[in-house]
């Protein structure tokens, strides 16, 4: 699967005839799906290229809305463990449409984070929320961790 993210040293294994990839945040092997391929590359990119602390990132975070359970693909927490960024991944062949942004917005109604990112591995969009102005601004690039709290 061709994506627009740096390569890293990938750990694979085969179990019960299914290919798995190692998730270094969850410290376990998980099913290798196209979306998981994007997630693992993106998280490695954030840690190795953008300086995000591994210990403040979490994959597959469960959220509860009434009786409905949702799963955030990746969350970045700040130093006091308040969610700061939601990252939503899609398979490389999935187009990043308004529907994808609507999905991440539902998560943000619960979490009220400062940054939202969507990526299909080929395209990446990041926006910064401005709750005072009730608006958001798309950023040209994924911010380095060092500038998130400035």
């Amino acid at each position: 699967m061709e994506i627009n993210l740096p390569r890293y040293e990938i750990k694979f294994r085969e179990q019960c005839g299914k290919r798995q990839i190692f998730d270094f945040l969850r410290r376990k092997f998980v099913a290798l799906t196209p979306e998981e391929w994007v997630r693992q590359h993106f998280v490695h990119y954030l840690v190795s290229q953008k300086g995000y602390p591994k210990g403040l990132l979490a994959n597959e975070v469960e959220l509860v809305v009434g009786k409905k359970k949702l799963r955030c693909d990746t969350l970045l927490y700040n130093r006091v463990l308040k969610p700061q960024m939601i990252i939503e991944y899609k398979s490389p062949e999935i187009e990043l449409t308004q529907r994808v942004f609507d999905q991440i917005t539902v998560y943000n109604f619960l979490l009220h984070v400062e940054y939202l990112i969507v990526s299909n591995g080929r395209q990446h969009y990041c926006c910064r929320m401005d709750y005072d102005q009730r608006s958001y601004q798309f950023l040209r690039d994924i911010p380095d961790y060092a500038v998130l709290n400035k």
Side-chain angles (χ1 to χ4, degrees):
M1 286 172 262
E2 195 60 39
I3 57 175
N4 182 21
L5 289 163
R7 299 189 188 280
Y8 74 97
E9 190 176 322
I10 303 167
K11 295 179 187 173
F12 294 110
R13 80 173 182 191
E14 192 97 11
Q15 189 169 49
C16 300
K18 304 249 186 213
R19 194 118 195 240
Q20 296 182 326
I21 189 169
F22 188 74
D23 181 335
F24 81 122
L25 295 182
R26 291 180 274 182
R27 296 185 195 103
K28 67 179 186 176
F29 282 91
V30 296
L32 177 57
T33 63
E35 183 178 309
E36 194 63 45
W37 181 256
V38 173
R39 180 196 335 259
Q40 293 308 314
H41 280 81
F42 201 90
V43 170
H44 277 84
Y45 163 71
L46 291 177
V47 172
S48 66
Q49 307 283 314
K50 294 292 186 172
Y52 286 51
K54 177 181 165 184
L56 295 180
L57 288 162
N59 286 336
E60 291 288 315
V61 178
E62 188 175 276
L63 304 175
V64 180
V65 182
K67 295 183 185 221
K68 190 174 184 180
K69 291 183 181 183
L70 306 171
R71 285 199 183 274
C72 262
D73 287 340
T74 301
L75 281 181
L76 170 71
Y77 295 91
N78 65 18
R79 296 276 179 204
V80 293
L81 301 182
K82 179 184 180 295
Q84 184 174 21
M85 178 184 285
I86 302 170
I87 308 166
E88 178 66 25
Y89 309 105
K90 295 297 177 195
S91 299
E93 70 276 359
I94 302 291
E95 190 178 339
L96 298 179
T97 63
Q98 184 62 47
R99 189 172 184 187
V100 176
F101 287 93
D102 292 346
Q103 180 181 359
I104 200 169
T105 301
V106 169
Y107 302 152
N108 200 34
F109 283 133
L110 293 172
L111 299 174
H112 213 70
V113 300
E114 189 173 358
Y115 295 92
L116 301 174
I117 295 176
V118 295
S119 175
N120 63 5
R122 296 173 190 250
Q123 297 176 295
H124 324 290
Y125 294 100
C126 178
C127 65
R128 184 173 186 179
M129 304 302 296
D130 184 339
Y131 294 102
D132 293 334
Q133 298 297 315
R134 302 177 109 185
S135 66
Y136 56 89
Q137 175 187 7
F138 278 94
L139 306 178
R140 292 182 137 188
D141 195 14
I142 309 299
D144 290 343
Y145 182 77
V147 301
L148 288 183
N149 297 308
K150 288 185 177 183

